[in-house]
Amino acid sequence: MTFEENKMEPSRVKNCRWAYFIFSWVLVICIIIQVFLAGMALFDNPVAWGWHRTFVHMFQYISILLFILGILGKLSWKMIWGSLGLFALFNIQYYTAHGIAGALHPVLALVLFCWALALVRGSYQLLINRDRSK
């Protein structure tokens, strides 16, 4: 992106890109907390299973917010659809919480973490490249 293109970029787009970056970090942190709650329930306090089940409802929709911010921020289709893919994966997690598919639950948690981290990295690269063109 050239300096002239960057100057002409609407502030709405810039703000949406910054919000995407911040909320993608929030999502990564929430996933870490969610895994911590599962570990705490498994190894220390079974009451934490309730916290684990409840906490996901507080942050799973961040991926939908990222989808909307990605569109408004004119991000790449890979990042836009990647955020919607995260939402789909969150929903798949509900089906793997019990029964024989339970072994996939922690594996998919790792996938969620890596996927969310990839969105952080992609949005960071976009912000850095934009700032370097100034």
Side-chain angles (χ1 to χ4, degrees):
M1 180 179 293
T2 66
F3 178 70
E4 290 78 23
E5 289 171 338
N6 191 26
K7 273 178 67 173
M8 294 173 57
E9 191 174 78
S11 62
R12 173 188 55 89
V13 171
K14 292 176 189 176
N15 292 339
C16 286
R17 288 178 179 181
W18 272 103
Y20 190 100
F21 174 70
I22 291 166
F23 278 109
S24 59
W25 262 119
V26 169
L27 186 60
V28 167
I29 291 166
C30 287
I31 292 169
I32 292 169
I33 292 169
Q34 184 72 346
V35 171
F36 173 79
L37 290 173
M40 194 165 80
L42 189 61
F43 295 109
D44 183 44
N45 184 3
V47 173
W49 283 123
W51 305 336
H52 177 78
R53 282 190 298 271
T54 304
F55 184 60
V56 70
H57 300 296
M58 296 179 192
F59 72 89
Q60 71 180 3
Y61 295 105
I62 292 175
S63 55
I64 295 293
L65 178 62
L66 290 176
F67 176 73
I68 294 166
L69 288 170
I71 292 170
L72 296 174
K74 298 181 180 179
L75 298 178
S76 70
W77 285 106
K78 182 178 177 182
M79 292 181 66
I80 292 171
W81 289 105
S83 56
L84 198 59
L86 271 178
F87 182 71
L89 196 53
F90 273 118
N91 285 292
I92 291 170
Q93 279 289 76
Y94 288 110
Y95 297 107
T96 64
H98 306 288
I100 190 95
L104 286 175
H105 197 75
V107 174
L108 291 179
L110 285 171
V111 173
L112 277 168
F113 176 75
C114 292
W115 198 330
L117 210 52
L119 294 181
V120 168
R121 185 173 182 234
S123 63
Y124 178 73
Q125 289 297 323
L126 182 66
L127 291 173
I128 291 300
N129 290 337
R130 190 197 74 207
D131 289 340
R132 285 186 183 159
S133 64
K134 288 183 178 178

